[in-house]
């Protein structure tokens, strides 16, 4: 009976071998795939297993972590002043995932990034607990507070940039939400998430309006048209009379271009911007032509769908395929033109920075748990939409708007020059919806401009440009600029 | 058998008993288990677990009792079987204790039944009962050949044991339990041993008839109908178990064991062909009829693609193995408890895979492989056909059980819901497997015992005395 016994022994050996091969297959070959499988809860457990690193503003964390008694997640994300900072931080929820900085810098915050390999290895030897690194932002707490308070209960957004570097100083969006409300995995968190993220929630609190929503810019876009006209030599003297008839008929149509104000006939460019003549700028845009308008707006950052701050901004658009009247309408910020508040802040920043547009960014440094700086963002020039001389000319016009036009409420005084432009963007079928109030501006000191701001307020309730853009949005811009200037002293 | 006292020309040298080897290995086995226990405590709480002395004392005592009984009553037994069983049982206890600490499982239990009771103390008790049975077998069973007398009684007992769960309610989809008040018994585990006894007795008697009285057909030796009868009965029985108790594992185990024993007894390959054909037909037939088995097959084919409980368990188990990677997360630091309620029974191997990693997993599988290897070696060494058949039957059953469970948990074959011998939580399994080891030890003792010395010849004695 020994011969079959030996065969059975081989058979049993094969059974064990099959198990060994399977173990190797699962644990060596397939391990990586299994560990990153989206049904694998360990990914989430790991993310909240240790204290998460923090997002830092002005040297102070605006996030935190608390220990929970959950079986799966040791720590829960907390937020300091969550609603105010939500457009910057995004959220990190045990159940509902993460977005914005919390997601993009997840590797650093959890400590799992390859950049932290050395720290992890050291911690293994010293027996330290794994810790996450910090993300140091470029934001300015005072400016953010001013923006958030200024918007108050209104629906809208503010973006502020340091024109010289491209540092984002404020990024506010209202109505906002508290990312801490659904950071955990309790029933309350689920309810909060359901309410906030519901499609029926007309307030859309989780929409980051400063980066991710595009609005028709209305009259604030005239600044771009003015810059394009100067750049392409259509206007040399901003004080010279333009050859604009009243009423101006849109090219190839019989539609007259309406002006909200009187005195636009043959108005100079400077005066036309001061009182915000539609006719002058529509005509100017038509003279520049679609192609050259496009050249300039692209330099300002339009039609770029990969603008990363590192949170990607929605694409601001200037239609590339429209006809002549469409281009004329687009030149005054109507028709298909749409832009994010960040984009308009970039326009103001480029003008304030002598025509040089710096790439906007909000992460200054990534810091290891031991406070070593892992990466430092260097300011980067994005483009030069207009020459230094032309930038100076546009500033003349914008400062005139604040001194004599609709932007008076943004004036700061005290030796600080402010340039701005109001806007009221009508939208909806036959402009039936309540218009958006816009204001873009920059502050200028002796050593250049420290801040450029764009403010948009939805549902402003007033239709006249001066009242809405200048009345509602300008004071917010003023507070933000003042906060930046004050924090510099 | 100490010193040669007679003066025959055949000088018998005492076979080494290897009891000291066994003692040394036992020491190692206990040390490994205790070390693992301390390791879990340190990993979970950062301090020595409170039960460390109790556990060390308990497992040392059990190992010592078992060793002393073997030393006294089965002196020539294989020295590896006992230490292998002790190390597996010891680590199993540690893993169960480790899973008792899982917050997830505690909350799940509290949500489902309102309270949580740790399984480790129960398992310690079962292990003690298992060792007691081990001792009992070695004390009572002086010679395994006595079991031959109980061939047909064994068959009756096995059939009753297998049929009993049909009268008790199903649990988690399988009808494999009998409940007597607070005691739950899985009779299949015991039936495994008893049926091996029956097969050995039956085949020992019928092997010549089965092997020789056959007709050649298509290159295969077809046995006579009256010899084929019992095989068909066993096949039908395993199918019935499968249908009524939805217990794929047990029927596979019995059938595989019977085919192995038939093959060894008759030395005819045709039996294996029949066996495979019949089991394949049975399995496919039942898989397509029973929804419970069907769900398991679906879960095996695509563990991530379906949403049934079986899928969730298998996919979580596979992810556990993946999470372990090459070196494992370390004891107490894995998340195998995500698998849910069967984590410490059917799926305990996933915890081994996750926390010991591939390295530990291979070592673990090799420990089982070694037990099987020692069992087959015992079968080879056994001098009587009954002992050979019994040893190969038990070792084969053990090997199939390990393969079926581990393969199911690792997604190699459909999940069948059996327990990993010695490691999984569950009294029946631990107790029955200790009995199984005891029988193997008894057979190996008989096999390795030196042949009794011939009686001294008075004549030889006479001629020896030469006096000047």
């Amino acid at each position: 009976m020994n011969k079959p016994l030996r065969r059975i022994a081989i058979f049993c050996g094969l059974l064990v071998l099959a198990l060994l091969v399977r173990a190797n297959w699962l644990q060596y070959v397939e391990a990586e795939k299994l560990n990153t499988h989206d049904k694998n809860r360990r990914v989430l457990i790991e993310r909240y297993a240790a204290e998460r690193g923090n997002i830092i503003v002005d040297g102070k964390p605006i996030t935190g972590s608390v220990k929970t008694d959950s079986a799966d997640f040791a720590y829960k994300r907390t937020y300091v002043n969550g609603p105010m900072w939500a457009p910057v931080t995004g959220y990190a929820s045990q159940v509902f995932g993460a977005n914005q900085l919390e997601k993009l810098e997840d590797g650093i915050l959890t400590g799992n990034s390859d950049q932290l390999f050395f720290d992890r290895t050291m911690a293994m030897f010293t027996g330290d607990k794994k810790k996450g690194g910090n993300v140091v932002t470029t934001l300015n707490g005072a400016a953010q507070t001013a923006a958030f308070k200024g918007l108050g209960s209104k629906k809208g957004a503010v973006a502020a940039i340091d024109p010289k570097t491209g540092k984002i100083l404020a990024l506010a969006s209202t109505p906002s939400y508290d990312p801490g409300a659904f950071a955990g995995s309790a029933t309350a968190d689920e309810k909060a998430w359901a309410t906030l993220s519901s499609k029926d929630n007309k307030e859309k609190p989780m929409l980051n309006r400063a980066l991710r929503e595009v609005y028709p810019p209305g009259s604030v876009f005239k600044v771009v048209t003015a810059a394009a006209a100067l750049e392409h030599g259509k206007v040399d003297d901003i004080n010279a009379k333009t050859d604009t008839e009243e009423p101006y008929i849109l090219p190839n149509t019989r539609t007259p271009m309406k002006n909200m104000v009187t005195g636009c006939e043959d108005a100079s460019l400077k005066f036309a911007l001061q009182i915000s003549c539609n006719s002058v700028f529509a005509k100017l845009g038509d003279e520049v032509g679609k192609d050259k308008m496009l050249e300039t707006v692209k330099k300002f950052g339009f039609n770029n769908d990969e603008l990363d701050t590192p949170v990607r901004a929605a694409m601001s658009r200037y239609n590339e395929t429209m006809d002549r009247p469409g281009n004329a309408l687009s030149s005054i910020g109507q028709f298909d033109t749409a832009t994010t508040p960040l984009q308009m802040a970039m326009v103001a920043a480029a003008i304030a920075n002598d025509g040089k547009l710096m790439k906007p960014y909000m992460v200054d440094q990534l810091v290891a748990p031991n406070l070593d700086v892992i990466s430092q963002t260097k300011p980067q020039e994005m483009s030069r939409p207009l020459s230094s001389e032309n930038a100076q000319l546009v500033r003349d016009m914008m400062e005139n708007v604040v001194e004599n036009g609709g932007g008076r409420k943004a004036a700061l005084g005290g030796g600080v020059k402010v340039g701005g432009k109001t806007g009221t963007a009508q939208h909806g079928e036959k402009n039936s919806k309540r218009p958006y109030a816009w204001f873009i501006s920059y502050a200028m000191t002796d050593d250049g401009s420290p801040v450029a701001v764009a403010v948009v307020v939805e549902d402003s309730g007033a239709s006249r440009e001066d009242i809405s853009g200048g009345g509602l949005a300008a004071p917010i811009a003023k507070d933000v600029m003042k906060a930046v200037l004050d924090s510099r002293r | 058998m100490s010193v040669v006292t007679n003066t025959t020309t055949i000088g018998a040298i005492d076979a080494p008993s290897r009891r000291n080897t066994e003692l040394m290995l036992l020491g190692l086995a206990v040390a490994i288990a205790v070390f693992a226990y301390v390791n879990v405590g340190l990993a979970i709480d950062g301090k020595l677990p409170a039960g460390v002395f109790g556990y060390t004392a308990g497992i040392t005592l059990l190992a010592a009792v078992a060793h002393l009984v073997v030393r006294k009553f089965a002196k020539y037994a294989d020295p590896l079987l006992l230490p292998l069983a002790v190390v597996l049982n010891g680590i199993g206890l540690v893993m169960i204790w480790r899973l008792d600490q899982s917050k997830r499982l505690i909350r799940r239990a509290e949500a489902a039944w309102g309270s949580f009771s740790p399984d480790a103390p129960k398992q310690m008790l079962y292990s003690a009962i298992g060792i007691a049975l081990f001792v009992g077998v070695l004390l009572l069973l002086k010679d395994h050949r006595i079991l031959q007398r109980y061939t047909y009684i064994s068959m009756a007992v096995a059939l009753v044991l297998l049929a009993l769960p049909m009268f008790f309610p199903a649990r988690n989809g399988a009808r494999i339990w009998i409940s007597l008040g607070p005691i739950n018994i899985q009779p299949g585990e015991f039936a495994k041993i008893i049926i091996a006894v029956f097969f050995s007795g039956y085949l020992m008697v019928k092997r010549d008839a089965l092997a020789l009285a056959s007709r050649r057909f298509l290159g295969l030796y077809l046995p006579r109908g009256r010899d084929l009868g019992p095989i068909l009965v066993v096949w039908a029985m395993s199918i019935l178990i499968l249908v009524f108790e939805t217990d794929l594992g047990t029927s596979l185990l019995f059938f595989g064991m019977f085919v192995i024993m038939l093959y060894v007894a008759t030395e005819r390959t045709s039996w294996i062909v029949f066996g495979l054909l019949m089991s394949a037909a049975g399995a496919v037939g039942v898989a397509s009829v029973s929804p419970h088995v069907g769900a398991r097959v679906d879960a095996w084919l695509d563990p991530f693609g379906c949403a049934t409980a079986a899928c969730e368990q298998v996919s979580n188990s596979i992810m556990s193995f993946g999470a372990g990677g090459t070196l494992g997360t370390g004891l107490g630091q894995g998340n195998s408890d995500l698998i849910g309620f069967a984590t410490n029974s059917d799926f305990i191997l996933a915890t081994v895979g996750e926390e010991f990693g591939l390295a530990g997993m291979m070592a673990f599988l090799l420990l089982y492989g070694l037990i099987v290897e020692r069992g087959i070696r015992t079968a080879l060494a056994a001098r009587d056909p009954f002992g050979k058949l019994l040893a190969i039957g038990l070792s084969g059953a053990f090997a199939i059980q390990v393969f079926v469970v581990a393969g199911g948990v690792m997604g190699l074959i459909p999940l069948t819901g059996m327990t990993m011998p010695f490691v999984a939580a569950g009294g029946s399994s631990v107790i029955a497997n200790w009995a199984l080891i005891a029988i193997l030890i008894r057979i190996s003792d008989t096999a390795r015992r030196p042949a009794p010395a011939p009686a001294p010849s008075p004549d030889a004695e006479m001629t020896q005395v030469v006096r000047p």
Side-chain angles (χ1 to χ4, degrees), chain A residues 2 22 39 42 69 72, chain B residues 104 107 304 320 388 410:
Chain A
N2 282 356
R22 179 67 181 176
K39 283 194 175 176
R42 287 170 184 79
D69 64 342
D72 278 2
Chain B
R104 248 176 239 131
R107 284 184 194 187
F304 292 104
S320 267
K388 268 185 193 302
M410 289 198 276

Side-chain angles (χ1 to χ4, degrees), chain B residues 285-342:
Chain B
V286 172
S288 51
V289 172
S290 156
H292 178 73
V293 178
R296 296 255 169 117
V297 173
D298 287 343
W300 167 61
L301 291 174
D302 186 8
F304 292 104
C306 53
T308 59
C311 272
E312 200 155 298
Q313 284 184 328
V314 174
S315 62
N316 264 312
S317 167
I318 289 176
M319 287 190 285
S320 267
F321 285 102
T326 314
L327 293 176
T329 57
L331 274 168
Q333 297 174 63
N335 287 306
S336 57
D337 44 1
L338 287 171
I339 296 168
F341 68 86

Side-chain angles (χ1 to χ4, degrees), chain A residues 317-340:
Chain A
R317 62 175 189 268
Y318 191 84
N319 195 319
E320 302 207 14
T321 55
M322 58 195 166
D323 54 8
R324 259 184 84 188
N327 180 53
L329 276 169
S330 292
S331 301
I332 59 164
Q334 294 181 4
F335 191 64
D336 200 22
T337 311
T339 154
T340 59

Side-chain angles (χ1 to χ4, degrees), chain A residues 52 78 86 106 134 143 228-229 231 247 270 295 309 314 334 341 349 383 396 410 416 419 439-440 447 488:
Chain A
R52 206 169 154 79
T78 58
D106 191 55
N134 291 337
E231 260 315 274
K270 189 169 176 177
E295 189 187 320
T309 70
Q334 294 181 4
S383 62
D396 271 2
V416 179
F439 192 75
I440 64 169
D447 42 338
R488 294 216 149 201

Side-chain angles (χ1 to χ4, degrees), chain B residues 406-420:
Chain B
V409 171
M410 289 198 276
L412 183 61
I413 55 170
L415 189 71
T416 52
M418 288 176 82
T419 54
M420 208 65 197

Side-chain angles (χ1 to χ4, degrees), chain B residues 244-302:
Chain B
F244 287 108
E245 302 176 2
T246 54
D247 187 2
L248 188 64
T250 307
S251 51
L252 203 67
L253 176 67
F254 289 153
F255 207 73
M257 180 164 78
F258 192 38
V259 168
I260 286 176
M261 292 173 78
L262 261 174
Y263 172 60
V264 171
T266 60
E267 306 193 25
R268 293 271 184 208
T269 324
S270 44
W271 289 109
I272 293 188
V273 178
F274 286 130
L276 289 179
L277 285 177
M278 289 198 290
S279 57
V284 168
V286 172
S288 51
V289 172
S290 156
H292 178 73
V293 178
R296 296 255 169 117
V297 173
D298 287 343
W300 167 61
L301 291 174
D302 186 8

Side-chain angles (χ1 to χ4, degrees), chain A residues 187-416:
Chain A
T187 323
D189 297 76
E190 256 167 62
K191 267 190 201 156
W193 169 264
T195 316
L196 287 171
S197 65
S198 160
K199 283 202 175 68
D200 303 332
N201 192 334
K202 291 215 175 72
E203 298 289 297
K204 288 194 201 153
M206 291 180 68
L207 176 65
N208 184 348
R209 292 175 170 80
L211 284 184
R212 305 284 318 157
E213 177 73 312
V214 289
Y215 297 94
S219 301
V220 288
F221 193 78
K222 287 169 185 164
V223 174
V224 178
T225 308
L230 288 166
E231 260 315 274
H232 295 290
K234 299 296 170 193
V235 179
D236 299 322
D237 183 356
I238 55 168
N239 292 308
K241 288 195 167 186
T242 54
D243 182 20
T244 316
E245 59 273 26
E246 181 75 31
Y248 168 69
I249 308 292
L250 283 172
N252 299 343
T253 68
R254 288 184 193 168
T255 318
M257 168 60 81
K258 270 190 205 156
N259 278 320
M260 298 290 184
V261 288
T262 48
C264 289
E265 190 168 6
D266 294 334
S268 72
L269 195 59
K270 189 169 176 177
F271 186 67
L273 195 76
Q274 181 189 323
I275 62 169
S276 203
C277 292
N278 288 343
S279 55
V280 174
F281 284 93
K283 183 161 182 284
L284 205 53
D286 186 50
E287 281 167 11
V288 175
K290 188 182 75 184
D291 294 343
K292 288 193 169 148
M293 277 301 287
L294 267 171
E295 189 187 320
T296 299
V297 297
K298 279 184 181 170
K299 280 186 189 164
F300 271 114
F302 281 82
N303 292 10
N304 175 2
D305 57 2
E306 287 182 5
L307 184 61
D308 296 331
T309 70
V311 177
R312 181 161 291 183
M315 188 179 87
S316 299
R317 62 175 189 268
Y318 191 84
N319 195 319
E320 302 207 14
T321 55
M322 58 195 166
D323 54 8
R324 259 184 84 188
N327 180 53
L329 276 169
S330 292
S331 301
I332 59 164
Q334 294 181 4
F335 191 64
D336 200 22
T337 311
T339 154
T340 59
L342 176 76
Q343 174 60 60
M344 288 322 293
M346 284 160 67
V347 168
I351 291 162
N353 194 34
D354 289 333
K356 210 197 293 180
L357 176 62
M358 303 301 289
K359 187 177 187 300
Y361 66 98
M362 61 167 130
V363 175
D364 192 29
Q365 295 178 334
L366 300 178
V367 180
N370 63 1
L371 303 182
D372 282 351
V373 175
I374 304 166
S375 89
Q376 164 82 50
T377 314
K378 288 201 184 70
Q380 225 183 321
E381 189 180 315
M382 206 169 138
S383 62
R384 280 175 192 265
L386 67 170
S387 69
S388 175
E389 296 78 31
N390 287 337
Q392 180 58 54
L393 291 176
V394 179
R395 284 207 296 273
D396 271 2
M397 297 194 286
M398 288 175 74
E399 281 157 25
N400 181 47
V401 170
V402 173
E403 276 160 34
N404 307 310
R408 276 180 214 97
K409 288 193 173 169
L412 283 167
V416 179

